mmCIF file with all atom_site columns, all heavy atoms in Angstrom:
data_model
loop_
_atom_site.group_PDB
_atom_site.id
_atom_site.type_symbol
_atom_site.label_atom_id
_atom_site.label_alt_id
_atom_site.label_comp_id
_atom_site.label_asym_id
_atom_site.label_entity_id
_atom_site.label_seq_id
_atom_site.pdbx_PDB_ins_code
_atom_site.Cartn_x
_atom_site.Cartn_y
_atom_site.Cartn_z
_atom_site.occupancy
_atom_site.B_iso_or_equiv
_atom_site.pdbx_formal_charge
_atom_site.auth_seq_id
_atom_site.auth_comp_id
_atom_site.auth_asym_id
_atom_site.auth_atom_id
_atom_site.pdbx_PDB_model_num
ATOM 1  N N   . SER J 1 91  ? 49.017 -56.031 -38.698 1.00 88.00 ? 91  SER J N   1
ATOM 2  C CA  . SER J 1 91  ? 49.440 -55.587 -37.341 1.00 88.00 ? 91  SER J CA  1
ATOM 3  C C   . SER J 1 91  ? 48.241 -55.323 -36.528 1.00 88.00 ? 91  SER J C   1
ATOM 4  O O   . SER J 1 91  ? 48.218 -55.593 -35.228 1.00 88.00 ? 91  SER J O   1
ATOM 5  C CB  . SER J 1 91  ? 50.160 -54.292 -37.498 1.00 88.00 ? 91  SER J CB  1
ATOM 6  O OG  . SER J 1 91  ? 49.387 -53.236 -38.039 1.00 88.00 ? 91  SER J OG  1
ATOM 7  N N   . GLN J 1 92  ? 47.000 -54.871 -37.016 1.00 92.00 ? 92  GLN J N   1
ATOM 8  C CA  . GLN J 1 92  ? 45.864 -54.733 -36.223 1.00 92.00 ? 92  GLN J CA  1
ATOM 9  C C   . GLN J 1 92  ? 45.241 -56.006 -35.685 1.00 92.00 ? 92  GLN J C   1
ATOM 10 O O   . GLN J 1 92  ? 44.647 -55.991 -34.576 1.00 92.00 ? 92  GLN J O   1
ATOM 11 C CB  . GLN J 1 92  ? 44.834 -53.792 -36.827 1.00 92.00 ? 92  GLN J CB  1
ATOM 12 C CG  . GLN J 1 92  ? 45.470 -52.374 -37.212 1.00 92.00 ? 92  GLN J CG  1
ATOM 13 C CD  . GLN J 1 92  ? 45.974 -51.743 -35.925 1.00 92.00 ? 92  GLN J CD  1
ATOM 14 O OE1 . GLN J 1 92  ? 45.274 -51.439 -34.973 1.00 92.00 ? 92  GLN J OE1 1
ATOM 15 N NE2 . GLN J 1 92  ? 47.425 -51.313 -36.122 1.00 92.00 ? 92  GLN J NE2 1
ATOM 16 N N   . THR J 1 93  ? 45.334 -57.013 -36.517 1.00 94.00 ? 93  THR J N   1
ATOM 17 C CA  . THR J 1 93  ? 44.813 -58.299 -36.135 1.00 94.00 ? 93  THR J CA  1
ATOM 18 C C   . THR J 1 93  ? 45.649 -58.871 -34.977 1.00 94.00 ? 93  THR J C   1
ATOM 19 O O   . THR J 1 93  ? 45.155 -59.373 -34.053 1.00 94.00 ? 93  THR J O   1
ATOM 20 C CB  . THR J 1 93  ? 44.855 -59.272 -37.392 1.00 94.00 ? 93  THR J CB  1
ATOM 21 O OG1 . THR J 1 93  ? 44.099 -58.698 -38.388 1.00 94.00 ? 93  THR J OG1 1
ATOM 22 C CG2 . THR J 1 93  ? 44.281 -60.724 -36.984 1.00 94.00 ? 93  THR J CG2 1
ATOM 23 N N   . LEU J 1 94  ? 46.949 -58.709 -35.190 1.00 95.00 ? 94  LEU J N   1
ATOM 24 C CA  . LEU J 1 94  ? 47.893 -59.184 -34.179 1.00 95.00 ? 94  LEU J CA  1
ATOM 25 C C   . LEU J 1 94  ? 47.661 -58.434 -32.856 1.00 95.00 ? 94  LEU J C   1
ATOM 26 O O   . LEU J 1 94  ? 47.664 -58.941 -31.808 1.00 95.00 ? 94  LEU J O   1
ATOM 27 C CB  . LEU J 1 94  ? 49.370 -58.985 -34.661 1.00 95.00 ? 94  LEU J CB  1
ATOM 28 C CG  . LEU J 1 94  ? 50.483 -59.267 -33.660 1.00 95.00 ? 94  LEU J CG  1
ATOM 29 C CD1 . LEU J 1 94  ? 50.389 -60.666 -33.224 1.00 95.00 ? 94  LEU J CD1 1
ATOM 30 C CD2 . LEU J 1 94  ? 51.823 -59.001 -34.325 1.00 95.00 ? 94  LEU J CD2 1
ATOM 31 N N   . ALA J 1 95  ? 47.507 -57.106 -32.922 1.00 95.00 ? 95  ALA J N   1
ATOM 32 C CA  . ALA J 1 95  ? 47.313 -56.325 -31.784 1.00 95.00 ? 95  ALA J CA  1
ATOM 33 C C   . ALA J 1 95  ? 46.116 -56.654 -31.022 1.00 95.00 ? 95  ALA J C   1
ATOM 34 O O   . ALA J 1 95  ? 46.040 -56.833 -29.737 1.00 95.00 ? 95  ALA J O   1
ATOM 35 C CB  . ALA J 1 95  ? 47.068 -54.795 -32.096 1.00 95.00 ? 95  ALA J CB  1
ATOM 36 N N   . ALA J 1 96  ? 44.840 -57.152 -31.705 1.00 96.00 ? 96  ALA J N   1
ATOM 37 C CA  . ALA J 1 96  ? 43.685 -57.550 -31.031 1.00 96.00 ? 96  ALA J CA  1
ATOM 38 C C   . ALA J 1 96  ? 44.005 -58.839 -30.226 1.00 96.00 ? 96  ALA J C   1
ATOM 39 O O   . ALA J 1 96  ? 43.535 -59.012 -29.063 1.00 96.00 ? 96  ALA J O   1
ATOM 40 C CB  . ALA J 1 96  ? 42.742 -57.877 -32.014 1.00 96.00 ? 96  ALA J CB  1
ATOM 41 N N   . GLY J 1 97  ? 44.879 -59.691 -30.834 1.00 97.00 ? 97  GLY J N   1
ATOM 42 C CA  . GLY J 1 97  ? 45.145 -60.997 -30.133 1.00 97.00 ? 97  GLY J CA  1
ATOM 43 C C   . GLY J 1 97  ? 46.024 -60.695 -28.894 1.00 97.00 ? 97  GLY J C   1
ATOM 44 O O   . GLY J 1 97  ? 46.010 -61.273 -27.819 1.00 97.00 ? 97  GLY J O   1
ATOM 45 N N   . ILE J 1 98  ? 46.970 -59.837 -29.010 1.00 97.00 ? 98  ILE J N   1
ATOM 46 C CA  . ILE J 1 98  ? 47.813 -59.573 -27.963 1.00 97.00 ? 98  ILE J CA  1
ATOM 47 C C   . ILE J 1 98  ? 47.108 -58.813 -26.743 1.00 97.00 ? 98  ILE J C   1
ATOM 48 O O   . ILE J 1 98  ? 47.321 -59.201 -25.583 1.00 97.00 ? 98  ILE J O   1
ATOM 49 C CB  . ILE J 1 98  ? 49.097 -58.573 -28.377 1.00 97.00 ? 98  ILE J CB  1
ATOM 50 C CG1 . ILE J 1 98  ? 49.934 -59.359 -29.405 1.00 97.00 ? 98  ILE J CG1 1
ATOM 51 C CG2 . ILE J 1 98  ? 49.777 -57.969 -27.166 1.00 97.00 ? 98  ILE J CG2 1
ATOM 52 C CD1 . ILE J 1 98  ? 50.856 -60.443 -28.715 1.00 97.00 ? 98  ILE J CD1 1
ATOM 53 N N   . ARG J 1 99  ? 46.172 -58.004 -27.086 1.00 97.00 ? 99  ARG J N   1
ATOM 54 C CA  . ARG J 1 99  ? 45.369 -57.396 -26.051 1.00 97.00 ? 99  ARG J CA  1
ATOM 55 C C   . ARG J 1 99  ? 44.609 -58.374 -25.225 1.00 97.00 ? 99  ARG J C   1
ATOM 56 O O   . ARG J 1 99  ? 44.482 -58.343 -24.093 1.00 97.00 ? 99  ARG J O   1
ATOM 57 C CB  . ARG J 1 99  ? 44.355 -56.401 -26.587 1.00 97.00 ? 99  ARG J CB  1
ATOM 58 C CG  . ARG J 1 99  ? 45.140 -54.891 -26.940 1.00 97.00 ? 99  ARG J CG  1
ATOM 59 C CD  . ARG J 1 99  ? 44.173 -53.903 -27.172 1.00 97.00 ? 99  ARG J CD  1
ATOM 60 N NE  . ARG J 1 99  ? 43.469 -54.112 -28.438 1.00 97.00 ? 99  ARG J NE  1
ATOM 61 C CZ  . ARG J 1 99  ? 43.834 -53.583 -29.576 1.00 97.00 ? 99  ARG J CZ  1
ATOM 62 N NH1 . ARG J 1 99  ? 45.044 -52.926 -29.708 1.00 97.00 ? 99  ARG J NH1 1
ATOM 63 N NH2 . ARG J 1 99  ? 43.221 -53.809 -30.830 1.00 97.00 ? 99  ARG J NH2 1
ATOM 64 N N   . ALA J 1 100 ? 43.960 -59.382 -26.067 1.00 97.00 ? 100 ALA J N   1
ATOM 65 C CA  . ALA J 1 100 ? 43.254 -60.470 -25.444 1.00 97.00 ? 100 ALA J CA  1
ATOM 66 C C   . ALA J 1 100 ? 44.093 -61.322 -24.505 1.00 97.00 ? 100 ALA J C   1
ATOM 67 O O   . ALA J 1 100 ? 43.766 -61.654 -23.304 1.00 97.00 ? 100 ALA J O   1
ATOM 68 C CB  . ALA J 1 100 ? 42.642 -61.263 -26.519 1.00 97.00 ? 100 ALA J CB  1
ATOM 69 N N   . ALA J 1 101 ? 45.372 -61.625 -24.962 1.00 97.00 ? 101 ALA J N   1
ATOM 70 C CA  . ALA J 1 101 ? 46.225 -62.464 -24.227 1.00 97.00 ? 101 ALA J CA  1
ATOM 71 C C   . ALA J 1 101 ? 46.780 -61.728 -23.019 1.00 97.00 ? 101 ALA J C   1
ATOM 72 O O   . ALA J 1 101 ? 47.085 -62.316 -21.871 1.00 97.00 ? 101 ALA J O   1
ATOM 73 C CB  . ALA J 1 101 ? 47.452 -62.942 -25.067 1.00 97.00 ? 101 ALA J CB  1
ATOM 74 N N   . SER J 1 102 ? 46.909 -60.416 -23.047 1.00 97.00 ? 102 SER J N   1
ATOM 75 C CA  . SER J 1 102 ? 47.367 -59.609 -21.958 1.00 97.00 ? 102 SER J CA  1
ATOM 76 C C   . SER J 1 102 ? 46.377 -59.635 -20.676 1.00 97.00 ? 102 SER J C   1
ATOM 77 O O   . SER J 1 102 ? 46.763 -59.308 -19.617 1.00 97.00 ? 102 SER J O   1
ATOM 78 C CB  . SER J 1 102 ? 47.528 -58.085 -22.369 1.00 97.00 ? 102 SER J CB  1
ATOM 79 O OG  . SER J 1 102 ? 48.465 -57.968 -23.512 1.00 97.00 ? 102 SER J OG  1
ATOM 80 N N   . ALA J 1 103 ? 45.081 -60.024 -21.099 1.00 96.00 ? 103 ALA J N   1
ATOM 81 C CA  . ALA J 1 103 ? 44.131 -59.985 -19.967 1.00 96.00 ? 103 ALA J CA  1
ATOM 82 C C   . ALA J 1 103 ? 44.273 -61.105 -18.962 1.00 96.00 ? 103 ALA J C   1
ATOM 83 O O   . ALA J 1 103 ? 43.801 -61.147 -18.090 1.00 96.00 ? 103 ALA J O   1
ATOM 84 C CB  . ALA J 1 103 ? 42.750 -59.962 -20.585 1.00 96.00 ? 103 ALA J CB  1
ATOM 85 N N   . TYR J 1 104 ? 45.204 -62.091 -19.379 1.00 96.00 ? 104 TYR J N   1
ATOM 86 C CA  . TYR J 1 104 ? 45.488 -63.201 -18.569 1.00 96.00 ? 104 TYR J CA  1
ATOM 87 C C   . TYR J 1 104 ? 46.839 -63.003 -17.690 1.00 96.00 ? 104 TYR J C   1
ATOM 88 O O   . TYR J 1 104 ? 47.880 -63.050 -18.315 1.00 96.00 ? 104 TYR J O   1
ATOM 89 C CB  . TYR J 1 104 ? 45.628 -64.430 -19.224 1.00 96.00 ? 104 TYR J CB  1
ATOM 90 C CG  . TYR J 1 104 ? 44.370 -64.984 -20.075 1.00 96.00 ? 104 TYR J CG  1
ATOM 91 C CD1 . TYR J 1 104 ? 44.007 -64.405 -21.333 1.00 96.00 ? 104 TYR J CD1 1
ATOM 92 C CD2 . TYR J 1 104 ? 43.486 -65.848 -19.572 1.00 96.00 ? 104 TYR J CD2 1
ATOM 93 C CE1 . TYR J 1 104 ? 42.861 -64.675 -21.987 1.00 96.00 ? 104 TYR J CE1 1
ATOM 94 C CE2 . TYR J 1 104 ? 42.376 -66.200 -20.143 1.00 96.00 ? 104 TYR J CE2 1
ATOM 95 C CZ  . TYR J 1 104 ? 41.950 -65.556 -21.489 1.00 96.00 ? 104 TYR J CZ  1
ATOM 96 O OH  . TYR J 1 104 ? 40.832 -65.979 -22.070 1.00 96.00 ? 104 TYR J OH  1
#
Side-chain angles (χ1 to χ4, degrees):
S91 62
Q92 298 307 300
T93 302
L94 175 58
I98 292 294
R99 279 192 292 270
S102 298
Y104 296 85

